[in-house]
Each structure stands twice: as C-alpha cells, then as structure tokens.
Amino acid sequence: MKKRLSAVFFALFLFIASAVPVSAAGDLPRLVDDADLLSDSEEAALQNQLDEISERQRVDIVVVTVNSLEGMSAMEYADDFYDYYGYGFGNTRDGILLLICMEERDWYISTCGYGITAVTDAGLEYMSEAFLSDLSDGNYAAAFTVFAELCDDFIRQADAGTPYDVANLPREPFGVFSNLLIALGIGFVISLIATGIMKSKLKTVYSQSAADNYSIEGSFQLTKERDLFLYKHVERTEKPKDNDSGSSGGSSTHTSSSGTTHGGGGGKF
C-alpha cells in the first residue's frame, strides 16, 4: 500500500511539473552530478558558470550525469529529466541540457524553446566535436566548461539573428595542424636565408645558358634522342548537388513523453 501511494504521489508530481513550467533560477540546480564525476571545487566552479550564463541569457544551461539510463534511451531520459523537473525559462521553456551516462557511455543534448533555435543540428555536431575528446579522456570538468561556453556563444549568435548553422559555423581555432604549418613556414624562410648565404660564397661558379655548357668538351656524345609526353591537363567540373540532400540546416525536433517539443542529438564517448 505504501509503495502504491508513493507511485501516485510521484505521478502527481510529474503532472504538476509538466503543467507549470518554472525556471531553474529557483531551487533546481543546473548541475546534477549523480555519477560523481567532479570534485567539490569543480562542482562549485561549474555551478557558478552555469548559473551566470543561464541568468544572463535567460536560457537554462544544465549538466546532468547519471550512472544508468534505467532502461530508457538517452534522448528519453534527457527530455524527461528536463520536462518533469521543470527546467526552462518562460512559457517556451527555453534551455539546453547535456546528459552524460557512464554505464552506457552515452551523451545527449536536449534543447527546448529558444535552445532549439540557438543550437541547430549542424551547430550541435560542431559543439560535440569540441568537448568529446575531453569527455572520452575523462576530463569531465573541461568538457562541461567547453559545453557551457559554447552554449553562451551559440545563444549570443542566435540573438544577433543568424544562428550558427551549416553555412556559418564558428571558425576553427588554431590547432596542432595550424601550428605545424606555421613551423614549416618558419623553417622554409630559414632555409632560404641559409642557401642564399651559401650561394653568395660560390664566386667561381656561374650559371650557363645551356645544359651542355656544364660538361667537359668531348666527354659526352648523344647517340639517340626522342620526345616523351610527360604531362596532361584535365579539367573537371563538380556535379551540382541536390538541394534536397538534407544539408539545408536548421533543427530537427521531436515530441517528448510530456508532449513538449525538443531538439537535440547525441552519441557515444
């Protein structure tokens, strides 16, 4: 009888939570580290960061870690956690939630309201590529910090009227490849200076107008000659791409168990 009453009260709580949207600015924490991935100091720093961005942008930025999905998919768990606990600003429940599940090694970003506008499908892929390496390496605090910073940037870009999407994703920061190119460029300049110095010391050697001028007279006799076709030039024109190939951008959406519209996506780490 006691278990039955508990189930009834829990169902009533879910109904009330889904019917009356509230902001996480109340008693709801924007960081729920049930998997205990962060130290106390990391939790405090991330919580402050999430609160500051959320209150300033009026869009809830939430990070949730769990050990198990309890038989649900990552999408279902993330959407339901967001809906039934009442996250999101305003009537449109504006927010972005990152879910991490350690048992299944799943990650999922659930967007709602203005979060769907700010984080398009292409933007979500860009965002995940930025934090997945830290997530896979166990650098959880770093991964969550990158997620929060990108949410802030994506919301600011959406406010400007042009959300990050297929045609205007953020520029990639200088990485290892860029640094390698810079190093090669510096090495090339140094090599030019070195060869220039060596060339200036060759006082007895002068360039000749023909190749046979470099050989000793009578030491070389040409007995046969022929022309060989060594190179060809081919022009290729790219075939126009189908405009219906799915690269038009925007955010794909779905309906959660509470009837709320969500965007988002996820994968493994």
Side-chain angles (χ1 to χ4, degrees):
M1 183 64 178
K2 187 176 180 180
K3 290 184 177 179
R4 185 177 178 182
L5 287 174
S6 298
V8 172
F9 283 125
F10 182 68
L12 181 61
F13 165 76
L14 295 185
F15 173 77
I16 295 173
S18 61
V20 184
V22 296
S23 166
D27 297 330
L28 293 175
R30 294 187 175 95
L31 171 61
V32 181
D33 187 21
D34 285 347
D36 198 23
L37 304 181
L38 304 174
S39 66
D40 291 344
S41 60
E42 288 172 338
E43 282 191 14
L46 180 59
Q47 181 71 65
N48 290 336
Q49 182 185 28
L50 295 174
D51 287 343
E52 190 280 324
I53 296 173
S54 300
E55 297 294 336
R56 173 166 45 82
Q57 297 285 15
R58 309 303 291 172
V59 178
D60 270 336
I61 311 301
V62 185
V63 173
V64 178
T65 74
V66 296
N67 289 311
S68 173
L69 297 175
E70 305 297 338
M72 304 171 70
S73 69
M75 181 185 76
E76 293 169 338
Y77 197 106
D79 290 347
D80 286 353
F81 195 98
Y82 188 94
D83 293 344
Y84 294 130
Y85 280 103
Y87 287 98
F89 276 90
N91 294 329
T92 52
R93 310 274 303 263
D94 303 337
I96 307 167
L97 181 146
L98 171 62
L99 170 71
I100 302 298
C101 177
M102 297 306 296
E103 185 176 79
E104 289 83 0
R105 304 291 290 180
D106 279 327
W107 66 270
Y108 193 87
I109 293 177
S110 177
T111 59
C112 190
Y114 195 66
I116 298 175
T117 301
V119 183
T120 62
D121 293 344
L124 188 144
E125 183 178 355
Y126 176 95
M127 182 181 290
S128 64
E129 288 176 354
F131 66 70
L132 271 181
S133 59
D134 281 325
L135 204 58
S136 299
D137 293 340
N139 301 323
Y140 302 114
F144 300 154
T145 297
V146 169
F147 164 74
E149 291 173 347
L150 286 175
C151 285
D152 193 13
D153 184 30
F154 275 50
I155 295 168
R156 185 164 49 246
Q157 182 69 20
D159 288 343
T162 53
Y164 287 131
D165 209 338
V166 176
N168 67 319
L169 289 172
R171 292 184 179 181
E172 294 285 353
F174 281 104
V176 175
F177 182 71
S178 299
N179 292 334
L180 178 61
L181 289 179
I182 293 174
L184 290 175
I186 294 174
F188 180 70
V189 172
I190 293 175
S191 66
L192 286 179
I193 295 174
T195 54
I197 294 174
M198 290 186 289
K199 181 180 179 181
S200 65
K201 295 180 179 180
L202 299 176
K203 303 297 185 181
T204 60
V205 179
Y206 303 93
S207 61
Q208 303 295 327
S209 59
D212 57 359
N213 290 336
Y214 289 98
S215 62
I216 300 175
E217 186 176 357
S219 65
F220 178 77
Q221 184 177 3
L222 182 65
T223 58
K224 185 179 179 180
E225 67 178 84
R226 61 175 178 168
D227 295 327
L228 294 177
F229 181 69
L230 298 179
Y231 306 102
K232 65 178 180 179
H233 176 70
V234 178
E235 291 187 357
R236 292 183 173 89
T237 303
E238 183 179 5
K239 181 180 178 181
K241 296 182 179 178
D242 187 356
N243 291 330
D244 297 328
S245 61
S247 60
S248 57
S251 299
S252 56
T253 60
H254 59 273
T255 303
S256 67
S257 64
S258 70
T260 304
T261 298
H262 285 270
K268 300 287 184 179
F269 66 92

